[in-house]
Amino acid sequence: MENRQRIIDRIFKAQGDDGFWKVLAKSDKYYPGYMHYVPNFKASLWTLILLADLGCKRNEPRIKKPLREIQNHFFDDNHKIFTLKEDHFPIPCLNGNMIYLDSYFNKTPDKKSLTALEFFYRFQRFDDGSYNTKTNTYCSNKSCYGKHSCYWGIVKLLKGISFIPKTFRTKDILYLRDKCIEFILLHKVCYKSRNTNIIMIKKMDLLTFPNMYKSDFLEILWLLKREKIKSEKLEPALKLLKSKQQESGYWQLERKVNSMVSSIGELGKPNEFVTDRANEVLKYYYN
């Protein structure tokens, strides 16, 4: 915990007087639409995710202003979801991450998060190699809704939901949660549904921290553990996780994210953050 707090302190030391991190200049080609989203994994959105993944205090006052302003910046009043305007509209991973931040740092979820979940209850697709889901207005976004629905979008929606207090989980939110879990179990966490010996997405079997929008299989197991999901379909991923444990008892950092701080750990070295999460998962599933 001491190292976690040192990293959190370094992040806040880099926070600007305006409450943000790595703010785009008005002359930047990505201004203003991608404000707080670019530069990748260093702007305020990603830095808040890093802080949440590190276990920053949930009532941290220095979070309030940037989170509130980022929510307002990304929120589309017409569709009642978080957007990058027309880019990849609608983006489930962005919405899942925003709902995660809101639910992690606030005692009660903001109305924006709840309306976003209602939108994805109605329109999120769960296609697996062919267009199985009923056609809707948003099928033109092939990046998020191709023949195989973007797996990361589904995982991040589940991540957001997993931090929504149970008293705020409506019937529709529970349905969306169950559909996300069903899709994940169809792929046994990280494997192709039609060939369960092959990892579904390149590098998702490499352990990493933090988890921005591309997860690793450990974060998915961790989310399923949060939701108390037990299934024999988890066994291949759990076996893979156990196989990666070193003789020292630690797990190594196998893929690195170039985030706000560089002290998360070295590639190929034992990593406390990955190890803490792995132990949490295995303790739950194997007691």
Side-chain angles (χ1 to χ4, degrees):
M1 286 302 297
E2 288 184 10
N3 191 34
R4 286 178 185 264
Q5 191 56 51
R6 280 197 296 269
I7 296 171
I8 290 169
D9 291 343
R10 283 186 58 196
I11 293 170
F12 281 119
K13 189 174 181 179
Q15 187 177 25
D17 292 338
D18 58 0
F20 298 105
W21 293 266
K22 299 289 182 180
V23 178
L24 291 177
K26 290 184 178 180
S27 58
D28 194 288
K29 66 178 181 178
Y30 291 112
Y31 181 91
Y34 289 82
M35 178 72 79
H36 311 309
Y37 193 91
V38 172
N40 248 4
F41 310 137
K42 295 184 178 182
S44 294
L45 168 66
W46 310 110
T47 302
L48 292 178
I49 292 172
L50 171 59
L51 285 167
D53 279 5
L54 282 168
C56 178
K57 288 188 300 184
R58 301 183 77 163
N59 61 347
E60 170 56 61
R62 290 170 289 186
I63 294 295
K64 301 302 180 185
K65 178 187 175 183
L67 178 55
R68 181 179 64 252
E69 294 198 20
I70 288 172
Q71 286 176 314
N72 292 335
H73 178 76
F74 288 130
F75 196 70
D76 184 304
D77 287 318
N78 292 325
H79 294 90
K80 307 300 181 186
I81 62 173
F82 301 101
T83 74
L84 292 173
K85 305 308 177 187
E86 291 80 22
D87 189 0
H88 292 68
F89 184 87
I91 311 180
C93 66
L94 172 63
N95 281 269
N97 276 331
M98 291 300 299
I99 294 162
Y100 166 54
L101 291 176
D102 176 35
S103 299
Y104 182 88
F105 285 114
N106 293 315
K107 290 182 179 179
T108 59
D110 189 270
K111 185 178 179 180
K112 293 182 176 68
S113 295
L114 299 177
T115 60
L117 284 171
E118 286 297 324
F119 177 98
F120 285 96
Y121 158 73
R122 290 172 18 234
F123 297 115
Q124 176 60 29
R125 300 181 62 80
F126 296 92
D127 297 319
D128 182 43
S130 61
Y131 293 106
N132 304 320
T133 309
K134 184 179 179 181
T135 300
N136 63 50
T137 310
Y138 306 104
C139 293
S140 59
N141 174 3
K142 302 302 182 187
S143 295
C144 303
Y145 303 105
K147 289 184 178 180
H148 193 291
S149 300
C150 177
Y151 200 58
W152 301 132
I154 291 168
V155 168
K156 293 307 171 186
L157 283 174
L158 178 61
K159 186 174 185 178
I161 293 170
S162 76
F163 282 84
I164 293 279
K166 287 183 170 55
T167 52
F168 289 90
R169 297 189 187 189
T170 64
K171 180 180 176 182
D172 293 349
I173 291 173
L174 288 173
Y175 177 85
L176 178 60
R177 166 198 175 270
D178 291 347
K179 290 292 290 183
C180 291
I181 291 170
E182 177 185 312
F183 199 72
I184 289 169
L185 293 180
L186 175 66
H187 295 87
K188 296 186 177 180
V189 177
C190 58
Y191 294 94
K192 291 189 175 183
S193 60
R194 293 168 183 80
N195 188 338
T196 55
N197 294 315
I198 299 176
I199 296 295
M200 181 173 60
I201 302 172
K202 186 178 180 181
K203 295 184 178 181
M204 74 180 299
D205 58 327
L206 300 182
L207 298 170
T208 189
F209 187 91
N211 297 108
M212 299 300 193
Y213 78 91
K214 289 185 178 181
S215 298
D216 61 0
F217 77 101
L218 174 55
E219 183 187 43
I220 301 170
L221 285 171
W222 180 67
L223 294 174
L224 294 172
K225 174 259 173 189
R226 284 184 57 84
E227 292 302 302
K228 297 180 170 56
I229 302 302
K230 292 189 175 182
S231 167
E232 62 182 14
K233 293 181 179 180
L234 302 182
E235 283 302 321
L238 290 168
K239 183 178 179 181
L240 176 62
L241 179 61
K242 287 195 293 183
S243 74
K244 289 175 176 282
Q245 187 176 23
Q246 306 297 300
E247 289 186 6
S248 63
Y250 279 79
W251 281 260
Q252 295 182 348
L253 186 69
E254 298 177 330
R255 178 165 60 87
K256 194 168 184 178
V257 176
N258 187 22
S259 61
M260 171 59 63
V261 296
S262 59
S263 53
I264 295 300
E266 296 181 48
L267 278 176
K269 299 289 187 181
N271 186 271
E272 64 175 293
F273 308 110
V274 172
T275 296
D276 286 349
R277 185 168 284 183
N279 279 326
E280 186 179 339
V281 166
L282 293 180
K283 181 179 179 181
Y284 177 76
Y285 284 107
Y286 296 114
N287 203 22

PDB file of all heavy atoms in Angstrom, residues 7 10-15 20-23 39-44 46-48 50-51 210 212 257-264:
ATOM      1  N   ILE A   7       2.789   6.461  -5.559  1.00  0.00           N
ATOM      2  CA  ILE A   7       2.437   6.705  -6.960  1.00  0.00           C
ATOM      3  C   ILE A   7       1.265   7.678  -7.046  1.00  0.00           C
ATOM      4  O   ILE A   7       1.270   8.610  -7.863  1.00  0.00           O
ATOM      5  CB  ILE A   7       2.092   5.380  -7.669  1.00  0.00           C
ATOM      6  CG1 ILE A   7       3.318   4.477  -7.718  1.00  0.00           C
ATOM      7  CG2 ILE A   7       1.583   5.642  -9.084  1.00  0.00           C
ATOM      8  CD1 ILE A   7       3.032   3.075  -8.200  1.00  0.00           C
ATOM      9  N   ARG A  10       2.491  11.133  -6.489  1.00  0.00           N
ATOM     10  CA  ARG A  10       3.190  11.655  -7.675  1.00  0.00           C
ATOM     11  C   ARG A  10       2.204  12.131  -8.731  1.00  0.00           C
ATOM     12  O   ARG A  10       2.425  13.140  -9.395  1.00  0.00           O
ATOM     13  CB  ARG A  10       4.087  10.573  -8.278  1.00  0.00           C
ATOM     14  CG  ARG A  10       5.386  10.337  -7.524  1.00  0.00           C
ATOM     15  CD  ARG A  10       6.260   9.369  -8.284  1.00  0.00           C
ATOM     16  NE  ARG A  10       6.553   9.848  -9.625  1.00  0.00           N
ATOM     17  CZ  ARG A  10       7.026   9.094 -10.601  1.00  0.00           C
ATOM     18  NH1 ARG A  10       7.247   7.805 -10.393  1.00  0.00           N
ATOM     19  NH2 ARG A  10       7.286   9.595 -11.786  1.00  0.00           N
ATOM     20  N   ILE A  11       1.114  11.398  -8.887  1.00  0.00           N
ATOM     21  CA  ILE A  11       0.107  11.779  -9.873  1.00  0.00           C
ATOM     22  C   ILE A  11      -0.517  13.121  -9.499  1.00  0.00           C
ATOM     23  O   ILE A  11      -0.661  14.014 -10.345  1.00  0.00           O
ATOM     24  CB  ILE A  11      -0.972  10.685  -9.988  1.00  0.00           C
ATOM     25  CG1 ILE A  11      -0.363   9.409 -10.579  1.00  0.00           C
ATOM     26  CG2 ILE A  11      -2.135  11.164 -10.860  1.00  0.00           C
ATOM     27  CD1 ILE A  11      -1.271   8.196 -10.510  1.00  0.00           C
ATOM     28  N   PHE A  12      -0.855  13.289  -8.242  1.00  0.00           N
ATOM     29  CA  PHE A  12      -1.464  14.548  -7.821  1.00  0.00           C
ATOM     30  C   PHE A  12      -0.456  15.700  -7.870  1.00  0.00           C
ATOM     31  O   PHE A  12      -0.838  16.852  -8.094  1.00  0.00           O
ATOM     32  CB  PHE A  12      -2.077  14.414  -6.433  1.00  0.00           C
ATOM     33  CG  PHE A  12      -3.418  13.739  -6.442  1.00  0.00           C
ATOM     34  CD1 PHE A  12      -3.619  12.545  -5.755  1.00  0.00           C
ATOM     35  CD2 PHE A  12      -4.480  14.287  -7.142  1.00  0.00           C
ATOM     36  CE1 PHE A  12      -4.854  11.924  -5.763  1.00  0.00           C
ATOM     37  CE2 PHE A  12      -5.725  13.667  -7.155  1.00  0.00           C
ATOM     38  CZ  PHE A  12      -5.909  12.477  -6.475  1.00  0.00           C
ATOM     39  N   LYS A  13       0.807  15.399  -7.703  1.00  0.00           N
ATOM     40  CA  LYS A  13       1.836  16.436  -7.823  1.00  0.00           C
ATOM     41  C   LYS A  13       1.892  16.971  -9.251  1.00  0.00           C
ATOM     42  O   LYS A  13       2.227  18.137  -9.484  1.00  0.00           O
ATOM     43  CB  LYS A  13       3.194  15.875  -7.410  1.00  0.00           C
ATOM     44  CG  LYS A  13       4.289  16.938  -7.289  1.00  0.00           C
ATOM     45  CD  LYS A  13       5.571  16.334  -6.742  1.00  0.00           C
ATOM     46  CE  LYS A  13       6.646  17.415  -6.608  1.00  0.00           C
ATOM     47  NZ  LYS A  13       7.911  16.858  -6.059  1.00  0.00           N
ATOM     48  N   ALA A  14       1.554  16.119 -10.217  1.00  0.00           N
ATOM     49  CA  ALA A  14       1.572  16.521 -11.629  1.00  0.00           C
ATOM     50  C   ALA A  14       0.259  17.170 -12.063  1.00  0.00           C
ATOM     51  O   ALA A  14       0.141  17.615 -13.210  1.00  0.00           O
ATOM     52  CB  ALA A  14       1.851  15.297 -12.506  1.00  0.00           C
ATOM     53  N   GLN A  15      -0.712  17.218 -11.170  1.00  0.00           N
ATOM     54  CA  GLN A  15      -2.014  17.812 -11.508  1.00  0.00           C
ATOM     55  C   GLN A  15      -1.869  19.319 -11.665  1.00  0.00           C
ATOM     56  O   GLN A  15      -1.235  19.994 -10.857  1.00  0.00           O
ATOM     57  CB  GLN A  15      -3.022  17.499 -10.404  1.00  0.00           C
ATOM     58  CG  GLN A  15      -4.449  17.910 -10.702  1.00  0.00           C
ATOM     59  CD  GLN A  15      -5.399  17.484  -9.575  1.00  0.00           C
ATOM     60  OE1 GLN A  15      -4.972  17.314  -8.421  1.00  0.00           O
ATOM     61  NE2 GLN A  15      -6.671  17.319  -9.883  1.00  0.00           N
ATOM     62  N   PHE A  20      -6.560  19.518 -13.910  1.00  0.00           N
ATOM     63  CA  PHE A  20      -6.444  18.524 -14.967  1.00  0.00           C
ATOM     64  C   PHE A  20      -4.996  18.083 -15.182  1.00  0.00           C
ATOM     65  O   PHE A  20      -4.061  18.645 -14.626  1.00  0.00           O
ATOM     66  CB  PHE A  20      -7.001  19.088 -16.281  1.00  0.00           C
ATOM     67  CG  PHE A  20      -8.457  19.434 -16.204  1.00  0.00           C
ATOM     68  CD1 PHE A  20      -8.877  20.756 -16.122  1.00  0.00           C
ATOM     69  CD2 PHE A  20      -9.419  18.440 -16.208  1.00  0.00           C
ATOM     70  CE1 PHE A  20     -10.214  21.076 -16.043  1.00  0.00           C
ATOM     71  CE2 PHE A  20     -10.765  18.748 -16.129  1.00  0.00           C
ATOM     72  CZ  PHE A  20     -11.163  20.067 -16.040  1.00  0.00           C
ATOM     73  N   TRP A  21      -4.839  17.086 -16.047  1.00  0.00           N
ATOM     74  CA  TRP A  21      -3.531  16.585 -16.437  1.00  0.00           C
ATOM     75  C   TRP A  21      -3.409  16.652 -17.958  1.00  0.00           C
ATOM     76  O   TRP A  21      -4.353  16.320 -18.683  1.00  0.00           O
ATOM     77  CB  TRP A  21      -3.341  15.136 -15.997  1.00  0.00           C
ATOM     78  CG  TRP A  21      -3.277  14.909 -14.522  1.00  0.00           C
ATOM     79  CD1 TRP A  21      -2.145  14.835 -13.749  1.00  0.00           C
ATOM     80  CD2 TRP A  21      -4.370  14.714 -13.622  1.00  0.00           C
ATOM     81  NE1 TRP A  21      -2.477  14.611 -12.435  1.00  0.00           N
ATOM     82  CE2 TRP A  21      -3.829  14.520 -12.318  1.00  0.00           C
ATOM     83  CE3 TRP A  21      -5.763  14.668 -13.774  1.00  0.00           C
ATOM     84  CZ2 TRP A  21      -4.629  14.305 -11.199  1.00  0.00           C
ATOM     85  CZ3 TRP A  21      -6.560  14.460 -12.667  1.00  0.00           C
ATOM     86  CH2 TRP A  21      -5.994  14.280 -11.390  1.00  0.00           C
ATOM     87  N   LYS A  22      -2.258  17.086 -18.447  1.00  0.00           N
ATOM     88  CA  LYS A  22      -1.945  17.061 -19.881  1.00  0.00           C
ATOM     89  C   LYS A  22      -3.068  17.661 -20.735  1.00  0.00           C
ATOM     90  O   LYS A  22      -3.636  17.015 -21.610  1.00  0.00           O
ATOM     91  CB  LYS A  22      -1.664  15.627 -20.336  1.00  0.00           C
ATOM     92  CG  LYS A  22      -0.478  14.960 -19.646  1.00  0.00           C
ATOM     93  CD  LYS A  22       0.845  15.557 -20.098  1.00  0.00           C
ATOM     94  CE  LYS A  22       2.015  14.860 -19.440  1.00  0.00           C
ATOM     95  NZ  LYS A  22       3.323  15.429 -19.856  1.00  0.00           N
ATOM     96  N   VAL A  23      -3.358  18.926 -20.503  1.00  0.00           N
ATOM     97  CA  VAL A  23      -4.434  19.606 -21.227  1.00  0.00           C
ATOM     98  C   VAL A  23      -3.959  20.017 -22.615  1.00  0.00           C
ATOM     99  O   VAL A  23      -2.849  20.523 -22.787  1.00  0.00           O
ATOM    100  CB  VAL A  23      -4.908  20.844 -20.440  1.00  0.00           C
ATOM    101  CG1 VAL A  23      -5.993  21.586 -21.205  1.00  0.00           C
ATOM    102  CG2 VAL A  23      -5.429  20.420 -19.066  1.00  0.00           C
ATOM    103  N   PRO A  39      -3.530  13.505 -24.752  1.00  0.00           N
ATOM    104  CA  PRO A  39      -2.797  12.350 -25.264  1.00  0.00           C
ATOM    105  C   PRO A  39      -3.204  11.038 -24.591  1.00  0.00           C
ATOM    106  O   PRO A  39      -3.567  11.024 -23.407  1.00  0.00           O
ATOM    107  CB  PRO A  39      -1.339  12.688 -24.963  1.00  0.00           C
ATOM    108  CG  PRO A  39      -1.402  13.611 -23.786  1.00  0.00           C
ATOM    109  CD  PRO A  39      -2.649  14.407 -23.973  1.00  0.00           C
ATOM    110  N   ASN A  40      -3.128   9.974 -25.381  1.00  0.00           N
ATOM    111  CA  ASN A  40      -3.550   8.660 -24.928  1.00  0.00           C
ATOM    112  C   ASN A  40      -2.854   8.238 -23.636  1.00  0.00           C
ATOM    113  O   ASN A  40      -1.623   8.291 -23.536  1.00  0.00           O
ATOM    114  CB  ASN A  40      -3.254   7.618 -26.007  1.00  0.00           C
ATOM    115  CG  ASN A  40      -4.533   7.064 -26.616  1.00  0.00           C
ATOM    116  OD1 ASN A  40      -5.627   7.510 -26.284  1.00  0.00           O
ATOM    117  ND2 ASN A  40      -4.400   6.098 -27.494  1.00  0.00           N
ATOM    118  N   PHE A  41      -3.653   7.839 -22.671  1.00  0.00           N
ATOM    119  CA  PHE A  41      -3.222   7.256 -21.399  1.00  0.00           C
ATOM    120  C   PHE A  41      -2.488   8.251 -20.492  1.00  0.00           C
ATOM    121  O   PHE A  41      -1.956   7.861 -19.462  1.00  0.00           O
ATOM    122  CB  PHE A  41      -2.364   6.012 -21.629  1.00  0.00           C
ATOM    123  CG  PHE A  41      -3.004   5.029 -22.572  1.00  0.00           C
ATOM    124  CD1 PHE A  41      -2.270   4.399 -23.558  1.00  0.00           C
ATOM    125  CD2 PHE A  41      -4.355   4.755 -22.482  1.00  0.00           C
ATOM    126  CE1 PHE A  41      -2.872   3.509 -24.431  1.00  0.00           C
ATOM    127  CE2 PHE A  41      -4.974   3.873 -23.349  1.00  0.00           C
ATOM    128  CZ  PHE A  41      -4.228   3.234 -24.330  1.00  0.00           C
ATOM    129  N   LYS A  42      -2.471   9.527 -20.895  1.00  0.00           N
ATOM    130  CA  LYS A  42      -1.838  10.547 -20.048  1.00  0.00           C
ATOM    131  C   LYS A  42      -2.783  11.712 -19.746  1.00  0.00           C
ATOM    132  O   LYS A  42      -2.557  12.444 -18.785  1.00  0.00           O
ATOM    133  CB  LYS A  42      -0.564  11.072 -20.706  1.00  0.00           C
ATOM    134  CG  LYS A  42       0.521  10.011 -20.831  1.00  0.00           C
ATOM    135  CD  LYS A  42       1.805  10.590 -21.394  1.00  0.00           C
ATOM    136  CE  LYS A  42       2.907   9.526 -21.468  1.00  0.00           C
ATOM    137  NZ  LYS A  42       4.184  10.071 -21.979  1.00  0.00           N
ATOM    138  N   ALA A  43      -3.803  11.878 -20.582  1.00  0.00           N
ATOM    139  CA  ALA A  43      -4.775  12.945 -20.349  1.00  0.00           C
ATOM    140  C   ALA A  43      -5.611  12.617 -19.102  1.00  0.00           C
ATOM    141  O   ALA A  43      -5.498  11.542 -18.506  1.00  0.00           O
ATOM    142  CB  ALA A  43      -5.662  13.117 -21.577  1.00  0.00           C
ATOM    143  N   SER A  44      -6.477  13.542 -18.733  1.00  0.00           N
ATOM    144  CA  SER A  44      -7.178  13.433 -17.447  1.00  0.00           C
ATOM    145  C   SER A  44      -8.075  12.206 -17.338  1.00  0.00           C
ATOM    146  O   SER A  44      -8.160  11.594 -16.272  1.00  0.00           O
ATOM    147  CB  SER A  44      -8.006  14.697 -17.207  1.00  0.00           C
ATOM    148  OG  SER A  44      -7.150  15.814 -17.044  1.00  0.00           O
ATOM    149  N   TRP A  46      -7.692   9.202 -18.592  1.00  0.00           N
ATOM    150  CA  TRP A  46      -6.870   8.023 -18.324  1.00  0.00           C
ATOM    151  C   TRP A  46      -6.210   8.108 -16.954  1.00  0.00           C
ATOM    152  O   TRP A  46      -6.045   7.092 -16.269  1.00  0.00           O
ATOM    153  CB  TRP A  46      -5.815   7.863 -19.415  1.00  0.00           C
ATOM    154  CG  TRP A  46      -6.408   7.943 -20.781  1.00  0.00           C
ATOM    155  CD1 TRP A  46      -6.240   8.949 -21.694  1.00  0.00           C
ATOM    156  CD2 TRP A  46      -7.291   6.987 -21.400  1.00  0.00           C
ATOM    157  NE1 TRP A  46      -6.956   8.677 -22.825  1.00  0.00           N
ATOM    158  CE2 TRP A  46      -7.606   7.484 -22.677  1.00  0.00           C
ATOM    159  CE3 TRP A  46      -7.831   5.779 -20.988  1.00  0.00           C
ATOM    160  CZ2 TRP A  46      -8.445   6.796 -23.558  1.00  0.00           C
ATOM    161  CZ3 TRP A  46      -8.673   5.090 -21.859  1.00  0.00           C
ATOM    162  CH2 TRP A  46      -8.969   5.601 -23.122  1.00  0.00           C
ATOM    163  N   THR A  47      -5.852   9.321 -16.547  1.00  0.00           N
ATOM    164  CA  THR A  47      -5.220   9.495 -15.243  1.00  0.00           C
ATOM    165  C   THR A  47      -6.198   9.183 -14.119  1.00  0.00           C
ATOM    166  O   THR A  47      -5.832   8.572 -13.105  1.00  0.00           O
ATOM    167  CB  THR A  47      -4.668  10.924 -15.109  1.00  0.00           C
ATOM    168  OG1 THR A  47      -3.742  11.173 -16.174  1.00  0.00           O
ATOM    169  CG2 THR A  47      -3.949  11.103 -13.786  1.00  0.00           C
ATOM    170  N   LEU A  48      -7.453   9.549 -14.305  1.00  0.00           N
ATOM    171  CA  LEU A  48      -8.467   9.208 -13.302  1.00  0.00           C
ATOM    172  C   LEU A  48      -8.682   7.695 -13.238  1.00  0.00           C
ATOM    173  O   LEU A  48      -8.874   7.137 -12.147  1.00  0.00           O
ATOM    174  CB  LEU A  48      -9.781   9.922 -13.621  1.00  0.00           C
ATOM    175  CG  LEU A  48      -9.782  11.446 -13.456  1.00  0.00           C
ATOM    176  CD1 LEU A  48     -11.135  12.021 -13.859  1.00  0.00           C
ATOM    177  CD2 LEU A  48      -9.429  11.863 -12.042  1.00  0.00           C
ATOM    178  N   LEU A  50      -6.383   5.470 -13.904  1.00  0.00           N
ATOM    179  CA  LEU A  50      -5.197   4.982 -13.203  1.00  0.00           C
ATOM    180  C   LEU A  50      -5.355   5.152 -11.696  1.00  0.00           C
ATOM    181  O   LEU A  50      -5.071   4.234 -10.918  1.00  0.00           O
ATOM    182  CB  LEU A  50      -3.954   5.726 -13.703  1.00  0.00           C
ATOM    183  CG  LEU A  50      -2.647   5.502 -12.938  1.00  0.00           C
ATOM    184  CD1 LEU A  50      -2.256   4.028 -12.925  1.00  0.00           C
ATOM    185  CD2 LEU A  50      -1.527   6.341 -13.551  1.00  0.00           C
ATOM    186  N   LEU A  51      -5.832   6.312 -11.265  1.00  0.00           N
ATOM    187  CA  LEU A  51      -6.028   6.555  -9.834  1.00  0.00           C
ATOM    188  C   LEU A  51      -7.044   5.585  -9.236  1.00  0.00           C
ATOM    189  O   LEU A  51      -6.836   5.041  -8.142  1.00  0.00           O
ATOM    190  CB  LEU A  51      -6.482   7.999  -9.608  1.00  0.00           C
ATOM    191  CG  LEU A  51      -5.390   9.062  -9.760  1.00  0.00           C
ATOM    192  CD1 LEU A  51      -6.010  10.455  -9.844  1.00  0.00           C
ATOM    193  CD2 LEU A  51      -4.400   8.991  -8.597  1.00  0.00           C
ATOM    194  N   PRO A 210      -2.066  -0.342 -15.426  1.00  0.00           N
ATOM    195  CA  PRO A 210      -3.511  -0.385 -15.193  1.00  0.00           C
ATOM    196  C   PRO A 210      -4.251  -0.873 -16.436  1.00  0.00           C
ATOM    197  O   PRO A 210      -3.624  -1.136 -17.462  1.00  0.00           O
ATOM    198  CB  PRO A 210      -3.834   1.077 -14.892  1.00  0.00           C
ATOM    199  CG  PRO A 210      -2.849   1.831 -15.750  1.00  0.00           C
ATOM    200  CD  PRO A 210      -1.579   1.029 -15.684  1.00  0.00           C
ATOM    201  N   MET A 212      -6.740   0.343 -19.124  1.00  0.00           N
ATOM    202  CA  MET A 212      -7.376   1.547 -19.652  1.00  0.00           C
ATOM    203  C   MET A 212      -8.625   1.192 -20.458  1.00  0.00           C
ATOM    204  O   MET A 212      -9.710   1.150 -19.915  1.00  0.00           O
ATOM    205  CB  MET A 212      -6.367   2.338 -20.480  1.00  0.00           C
ATOM    206  CG  MET A 212      -5.162   2.807 -19.680  1.00  0.00           C
ATOM    207  SD  MET A 212      -5.608   3.885 -18.290  1.00  0.00           S
ATOM    208  CE  MET A 212      -4.012   4.541 -17.829  1.00  0.00           C
ATOM    209  N   VAL A 257       1.658  -0.177 -20.050  1.00  0.00           N
ATOM    210  CA  VAL A 257       0.912   0.964 -20.568  1.00  0.00           C
ATOM    211  C   VAL A 257       1.698   2.221 -20.276  1.00  0.00           C
ATOM    212  O   VAL A 257       2.149   2.437 -19.140  1.00  0.00           O
ATOM    213  CB  VAL A 257      -0.480   1.056 -19.905  1.00  0.00           C
ATOM    214  CG1 VAL A 257      -1.215   2.307 -20.364  1.00  0.00           C
ATOM    215  CG2 VAL A 257      -1.303  -0.186 -20.234  1.00  0.00           C
ATOM    216  N   ASN A 258       1.888   3.054 -21.278  1.00  0.00           N
ATOM    217  CA  ASN A 258       2.652   4.283 -21.122  1.00  0.00           C
ATOM    218  C   ASN A 258       1.753   5.357 -20.519  1.00  0.00           C
ATOM    219  O   ASN A 258       1.264   6.244 -21.202  1.00  0.00           O
ATOM    220  CB  ASN A 258       3.196   4.735 -22.475  1.00  0.00           C
ATOM    221  CG  ASN A 258       4.140   5.922 -22.346  1.00  0.00           C
ATOM    222  OD1 ASN A 258       4.701   6.167 -21.292  1.00  0.00           O
ATOM    223  ND2 ASN A 258       4.302   6.665 -23.430  1.00  0.00           N
ATOM    224  N   SER A 259       1.534   5.265 -19.215  1.00  0.00           N
ATOM    225  CA  SER A 259       0.572   6.132 -18.543  1.00  0.00           C
ATOM    226  C   SER A 259       1.264   7.346 -17.911  1.00  0.00           C
ATOM    227  O   SER A 259       2.405   7.660 -18.217  1.00  0.00           O
ATOM    228  CB  SER A 259      -0.200   5.335 -17.487  1.00  0.00           C
ATOM    229  OG  SER A 259       0.684   4.833 -16.516  1.00  0.00           O
ATOM    230  N   MET A 260       0.557   7.995 -17.020  1.00  0.00           N
ATOM    231  CA  MET A 260       1.045   9.233 -16.401  1.00  0.00           C
ATOM    232  C   MET A 260       2.345   9.027 -15.619  1.00  0.00           C
ATOM    233  O   MET A 260       3.200   9.901 -15.569  1.00  0.00           O
ATOM    234  CB  MET A 260      -0.054   9.786 -15.479  1.00  0.00           C
ATOM    235  CG  MET A 260       0.364  10.943 -14.590  1.00  0.00           C
ATOM    236  SD  MET A 260       0.961  12.380 -15.493  1.00  0.00           S
ATOM    237  CE  MET A 260      -0.504  12.820 -16.410  1.00  0.00           C
ATOM    238  N   VAL A 261       2.510   7.859 -15.009  1.00  0.00           N
ATOM    239  CA  VAL A 261       3.718   7.603 -14.219  1.00  0.00           C
ATOM    240  C   VAL A 261       4.410   6.359 -14.742  1.00  0.00           C
ATOM    241  O   VAL A 261       3.798   5.485 -15.355  1.00  0.00           O
ATOM    242  CB  VAL A 261       3.382   7.418 -12.721  1.00  0.00           C
ATOM    243  CG1 VAL A 261       2.810   8.692 -12.139  1.00  0.00           C
ATOM    244  CG2 VAL A 261       2.413   6.266 -12.514  1.00  0.00           C
ATOM    245  N   SER A 262       5.688   6.284 -14.520  1.00  0.00           N
ATOM    246  CA  SER A 262       6.474   5.157 -15.037  1.00  0.00           C
ATOM    247  C   SER A 262       6.833   4.147 -13.953  1.00  0.00           C
ATOM    248  O   SER A 262       7.543   3.191 -14.219  1.00  0.00           O
ATOM    249  CB  SER A 262       7.773   5.691 -15.666  1.00  0.00           C
ATOM    250  OG  SER A 262       8.527   6.410 -14.707  1.00  0.00           O
ATOM    251  N   SER A 263       6.334   4.356 -12.742  1.00  0.00           N
ATOM    252  CA  SER A 263       6.752   3.511 -11.621  1.00  0.00           C
ATOM    253  C   SER A 263       5.785   2.364 -11.331  1.00  0.00           C
ATOM    254  O   SER A 263       5.813   1.797 -10.249  1.00  0.00           O
ATOM    255  CB  SER A 263       6.917   4.379 -10.369  1.00  0.00           C
ATOM    256  OG  SER A 263       5.746   5.130 -10.126  1.00  0.00           O
ATOM    257  N   ILE A 264       4.932   2.041 -12.305  1.00  0.00           N
ATOM    258  CA  ILE A 264       4.020   0.908 -12.129  1.00  0.00           C
ATOM    259  C   ILE A 264       4.814  -0.390 -12.056  1.00  0.00           C
ATOM    260  O   ILE A 264       4.440  -1.332 -11.384  1.00  0.00           O
ATOM    261  CB  ILE A 264       2.991   0.860 -13.270  1.00  0.00           C
ATOM    262  CG1 ILE A 264       2.081   2.093 -13.218  1.00  0.00           C
ATOM    263  CG2 ILE A 264       2.158  -0.413 -13.215  1.00  0.00           C
ATOM    264  CD1 ILE A 264       1.293   2.237 -11.934  1.00  0.00           C
TER     265      ILE A 264
END
